[in-house]
Structures are given as structure tokens and as C-alpha cells.
Amino acid sequence: MRFARDVRKYFPFALYSAFADLKSQVQGSYLGWMWWVLDPLLFMLVYSFIVEVVFGTNMENFPLYVFIGLTSWNFFAATVQSSVGVIRSYRSVLQKSPIPKFILVVMTLIINLIKMGIGLMLSFFAAMVLGIFPNAGMLGIFPVMVVYIVLTFGASLIGAHIGVYIVDFNNVMVVLLRLLFYLSGVFFTLDRLPGKAKELYNFVCPTGFLLEQFRFALMYSQPLSYLVLGYWLAVGIGLSAFGLWLTYSHENTYMKVI
Amino acid sequence: MDEPVISVDNVSVVYKNTTSFSYRKLAQQLIGNRSQSQRASPSFTALSGITFDVAYGETVGVVGENGSGKSTLLRAIAGIYTPDEGTIVLRCPTVSLLALGIGFQSRLTGMENILLSGLAMGFSKKEIAEKTSEIIEFSELEDFIDKPVKAYSSGMYSKLSFAINAILTTDVLLIDEVLSVGDMRFQVKSRDKLMELVADKKRSVVIVSHSQDVLKQMCNRVLWISKGRQVDFGLSGEVISAYESFMMQD
């Protein structure tokens, strides 16, 4: 099977290229990797100030709630946004080597997965400081992560495909992601939604549902909604399969366009 | 009789209406700026009906005027473009297009770029590790190999990228113009290395060149293409003489 053969041959390139990119990012700023944590940390302070001070809302461990939300959200948003332009930005490499295009999306995914991993580890330690000690429920983070990665991969592949043909899609994606950001409850709770509406929301907004599942595992030790997780896993696999089909069937045309 | 290593059969590569969509172009069309929109041709045939083969250990040359489709042909054989019509069959495990600086990142050291470039070319970490010392020696970079590539002069950059391509070689090598890089001494060295690669009877080579002398010296057979169409394919002396006569008439 071509996909398995390509993964075996080019995954080392995706992995090394991701590390090389992270190294370049670290060397390109004074605070280096600290920015991967500082970015959600600073925004956490901004949202905490607005929600708790300006709007006077009071919620237990709210800064941690926001930090987990931002760290997880950034993974999805940064991967999808970067993937939109990744084939164009690797033009000079693709004109010299027949690297399968989905490998570039895998590379983007690895970069942002490492950043999210660091953020979630920090959340784990912050939870302990706040008196939330390690427990079996925290292992729930792994199935949530698998679903999140598969879904992000599928969405990014489709974004990468469209980004080749529509130059302005990058700008459109900025707006779409901003809309999804506000729908996903990154800095507010979705508990106010009535029961039926919340059930429907879980099946419509993947990032909102998955961000909540991350918090269930890390903060509240609540049981996960495996039925909805299974649903989003199936959607993610479907999107990934469709995205792979798109990128494989257009490999020839991409190079002519860019 | 052994089957050819490369079989190119009636291959066409067409650049369809592939100019990417943008709102600016759409707006130009809507407001009737026809001079802009009419420039986009619905399709352009870069290659049409190309048929030739390359035997094991053979070197085949490709000649043709600028824009005749020679580079497109090499990219199609390398798998970068897939043909719109016809087939390209490769009966060898590995094929590579000789190109400088594949995947180089300027903030990484020369050593790190050897690994990155090799992986981008499809080699395994083990294969690259086995050849790394040879690459460093050939590149003559010595201690600079551990410095970021952004600190290199253009000559040093070319030396490293040439060394990677010349040492990490494949069963089929596709060369788009014979490269001579670096200072005068390294130019001779790099040219000799290329000659050595081409002369290796275990390697099949397709080489594009504007130098008829190079092709006469290196190739058994030569393919002549003009405006994307095959004019002739045969023994190098005969095809090159015909091509020279044609070019003199023009």
C-alpha cells in the first residue's frame, strides 16, 4: 500500500524536519522555547482578567481551565493554519524531491504536538499545585489526544489541499478559526447550555467537545463521553481518508500550480 | 535481452488551467480587465508523445532548445510530475534528481543539513550515517561542518550541497545540466566526480545538457525534443549532428 510505504520512507524526514523547525524557532528568539508556554500563559492572564475581574464571574481554578483550553486550542488552530500554506512554502523542496505532500502536514502536526505536550505537562504540574493530584482519570487524556490528533490531521490535509488552489484561503481560515475559537468555550464554560442543546453541541463542535474532555481528564476526574469520542474518531478517520485521497490524487497538479 | 531500467512510453505532461484562484484575479475578470484574464491559456502541453528507454548502466542524453520540456521530462521520471498520458516504468529501487540544497535550513549546521537533505531525498538514517564522513571530506568544509549554514559563503554552500548529491547516489541518476560549483579547483573536482558517477556501469543516467561535447563524450544514445515533442532518439553522434544542423538553420 502506497500510504504505508510513504510513511515508512518519509516519516523520518517529517520528524527531523519538525525538530529542525523547532530548533530554528528557538534560535530565532531570545526566550526560545519559553514562548511555547508563555504564549498561552499570557493569554490566560488576559482572559482571566476579563472574565473574572471585568465580568465578575467566579469559577474555581479558572486560570488552569483557560490554560488547558488555550494549549489544546493552539494545537488545532496552529496545525490547520500552517497546513494551508505548507505545500506552497515547501515548493523548492518539492520541485527537487517527490516527497508525498501529506508528509508536510505530518511535519506541521508534530511541531504543534510537541508544543501542546509541553503545555499539557505544565498543566499537570499546575493542577498538582492547586491540589488536584494524579489519579486514574487523568489517563483519559490519551484517548482524547488520539481523537484530537486524527481529527486535526484530517482537517489539515483538506486545508493544505485547498490552500494550493486558493491563495486567499489563508485569510479565510483566519476568520473561520476565530469563529471556531469563540464557539469552543476556550475561556468560558459551556455549562449554561441547556441539556439537549449541549448534547447537540457535542456532536457539532469538535474542538469545544474535545477541549472539555481534556479538562474532564486533567481537572475534574470526570468520566469521558466515549460515545461522542467514538463519533469524532470516526469523523476524523473519514476526514483523514478523504484528505489523503485528495492529496494523492492531486500530487501531479499541485506542482504545476505552485 | 534485459528489460530497460527506464521505459518512457508515449508520455505527455499537460499544464492544465492550473493558475491558482485568487479574489484579485476574479475581480479583474468581473470588471472586464480582459487583457489580464485572456493571458491565462486553458492548457499548455509541456511534453507530448515522448517514447524512449534507458538500459542498465546506460547514459542517455537529452537535447533541445530552451523551454523544450527537458527539465519537465526529468521531473516526470523522478516522480515529481506524473504524466497526463502514457507511462513511465522504473525497474530500479531508487532514482534521484541531482539538485543542489534540497531541504536546507540556514539555521542548522552543515552536519544537520546533511541528515535533513538526505532524508528529504528518501535515504534512511543508516544510509546517510554510512556516507556522512565521505560527504564531509568531499565538501572540504572541515570544522565549518559544525557551524550553521547561514555562516557559509555561497561557494561553501554549493560545495556541501554538491557533496551530498554526489555521494548519496541512487541506481538511476537524473542530471539537469552538468554542475560545476565552488572555486576553480573544486569545479574540476566536482566535474570529475560527475564523470565518475556517469561512467559507473552499474548506474543508469539521464543527462540534460546544452553542451554537445559533454553529451558526445558521456552518452550512448540521445533524445532530441523540441517544443515538447520528440524529434529523434538514437545514437548520440547521429542525433547530435542532426540537432546541430537544425540549430544552425534557426
Side-chain angles (χ1 to χ4, degrees):
Chain A
M1 192 182 158
R2 189 178 169 193
F3 174 68
R5 198 184 60 222
D6 284 343
V7 168
R8 206 169 42 245
K9 188 171 181 181
Y10 288 103
F11 185 76
F13 168 73
L15 194 63
Y16 193 72
S17 197
F19 280 110
D21 195 273
L22 288 170
K23 190 180 172 187
S24 290
Q25 285 181 30
V26 168
Q27 289 176 347
S29 63
Y30 285 111
L31 294 177
W33 68 269
M34 294 276 286
W35 276 115
W36 307 339
V37 178
L38 274 176
D39 182 78
L41 205 64
L42 293 173
F43 276 105
M44 177 196 79
L45 292 175
V46 172
Y47 291 125
S48 297
F49 174 78
I50 292 169
V51 174
E52 292 201 311
V53 179
V54 178
F55 291 108
T57 312
N58 195 11
M59 191 176 147
E60 199 182 358
N61 299 329
F62 185 70
L64 180 62
Y65 181 93
V66 176
F67 186 78
I68 292 171
L70 279 170
T71 302
S72 320
W73 166 259
N74 284 348
F75 165 73
F76 178 82
T79 307
V80 173
Q81 188 76 62
S82 307
S83 296
V84 169
V86 76
I87 295 176
R88 284 182 178 276
S89 59
Y90 273 77
R91 176 187 167 174
S92 63
V93 180
L94 297 176
Q95 279 184 335
K96 297 169 187 169
S97 179
I99 296 171
K101 312 304 172 278
F102 79 86
I103 284 292
L104 300 177
V105 174
V106 173
M107 179 198 72
T108 311
L109 196 93
I110 294 170
I111 291 169
N112 292 302
L113 190 61
I114 290 168
K115 290 180 182 177
M116 180 171 75
I118 291 171
L120 288 178
M121 276 208 305
L122 205 72
S123 307
F124 177 76
F125 291 120
M128 282 204 287
V129 171
L130 294 168
I132 307 164
F133 294 104
N135 56 70
M138 286 183 173
L139 294 173
I141 198 172
F142 294 107
V144 180
M145 226 158 177
V146 169
V147 176
Y148 202 30
I149 290 167
V150 173
L151 202 67
T152 307
F153 180 59
S156 301
L157 281 173
I158 295 167
H161 170 77
I162 300 171
V164 173
Y165 293 98
I166 304 178
V167 182
D168 299 355
F169 190 62
N170 204 35
N171 304 56
V172 175
M173 190 50 85
V174 171
V175 179
L176 289 177
L177 285 171
R178 184 63 59 88
L179 176 70
L180 195 59
F181 173 79
Y182 287 116
L183 286 175
S184 299
V186 177
F187 59 94
F188 58 87
T189 175
L190 299 162
D191 290 345
R192 285 181 194 168
L193 286 172
K196 281 283 176 195
K198 182 72 197 323
E199 274 178 34
L200 184 68
Y201 172 89
N202 285 343
F203 282 98
V204 173
C205 184
T207 43
F209 167 73
L210 289 165
L211 260 55
E212 189 179 53
Q213 297 296 298
F214 272 118
R215 288 163 179 147
F216 279 1
L218 279 172
M219 290 180 74
Y220 304 125
S221 300
Q222 279 191 29
L224 304 177
S225 309
Y226 282 103
L227 175 72
V228 188
L229 272 177
Y231 163 77
W232 283 117
L233 180 64
V235 171
I237 291 171
L239 284 178
S240 301
F242 179 61
L244 283 171
W245 173 78
L246 272 179
T247 49
Y248 268 126
S249 56
H250 286 77
E251 290 235 322
N252 174 30
T253 323
Y254 290 153
M255 295 314 297
K256 294 173 184 173
V257 175
I258 63 174
Chain B
M1 190 182 158
D2 290 339
E3 281 191 303
V5 173
I6 305 172
S7 296
V8 177
D9 184 25
N10 199 28
V11 161
S12 296
V13 174
V14 180
Y15 292 90
K16 296 190 188 77
N17 187 17
T18 51
T19 45
S20 52
F21 172 84
S22 84
Y23 298 112
R24 196 173 56 186
K25 287 175 192 166
L26 180 68
Q28 279 170 351
Q29 286 176 349
L30 286 175
I31 62 171
N33 189 348
R34 297 184 66 81
S35 60
Q36 284 275 349
S37 55
Q38 278 174 340
R39 268 180 227 162
S41 167
S43 67
F44 167 71
T45 304
L47 288 174
S48 175
I50 305 293
T51 300
F52 73 103
D53 56 75
V54 183
Y56 179 78
E58 185 185 18
T59 300
V60 166
V62 183
V63 290
E65 68 271 31
N66 290 332
S68 57
K70 304 185 293 294
S71 299
T72 302
L73 177 63
L74 289 196
R75 284 178 182 159
I77 297 171
I80 293 164
Y81 298 155
T82 46
D84 292 278
E85 280 177 32
T87 54
I88 296 174
V89 179
L90 298 172
R91 296 179 188 87
C92 59
T94 54
V95 56
S96 68
L97 180 65
L98 194 96
L100 296 184
I102 299 175
F104 268 31
Q105 287 206 18
S106 61
R107 284 205 175 100
L108 299 185
T109 65
M111 185 69 100
E112 289 166 330
N113 271 306
I114 291 173
L115 182 55
L116 187 62
S117 196
L119 291 172
M121 290 158 73
F123 288 94
S124 69
K125 276 188 176 177
K126 187 169 171 274
E127 288 168 324
I128 300 163
E130 283 169 0
K131 301 275 187 178
T132 299
S133 53
E134 198 181 338
I135 292 170
I136 296 167
E137 193 186 332
F138 191 90
S139 70
E140 303 174 350
L141 288 175
E142 298 173 357
D143 292 343
F144 267 93
I145 204 70
D146 293 317
K147 295 205 176 344
V149 165
K150 66 180 177 184
Y152 288 12
S153 66
S154 60
M156 289 161 82
Y157 182 97
S158 304
K159 282 179 177 182
L160 178 62
S161 48
F162 180 87
I164 293 170
N165 274 272
I167 307 296
L168 288 174
T169 49
T170 49
D171 303 304
V172 170
L173 193 57
L174 310 168
I175 304 173
D176 198 348
E177 282 298 341
V178 178
L179 301 158
S180 296
V181 299
D183 49 41
M184 272 185 69
R185 196 177 53 79
F186 198 85
Q187 281 181 19
V188 175
K189 184 179 169 181
S190 57
R191 198 180 164 83
D192 288 348
K193 183 67 186 175
L194 267 185
M195 295 291 187
E196 182 193 317
L197 291 173
V198 173
D200 185 349
K201 289 298 164 199
K202 290 178 184 167
R203 181 175 292 111
S204 305
V205 179
V206 180
I207 181 167
V208 165
S209 181
H210 285 289
S211 167
Q212 277 84 55
D213 290 338
V214 167
L215 294 178
K216 276 179 191 165
Q217 190 186 341
M218 290 181 166
C219 305
N220 313 78
R221 294 184 290 169
V222 166
L223 170 74
W224 171 14
I225 50 180
S226 177
K227 293 173 184 166
R229 292 183 177 277
Q230 181 166 336
V231 180
D232 200 1
F233 176 57
L235 294 172
S236 55
E238 293 169 14
V239 177
I240 289 170
S241 297
Y243 174 66
E244 282 173 339
S245 306
F246 172 79
M247 291 302 280
M248 293 300 280
Q249 283 170 10
D250 265 16

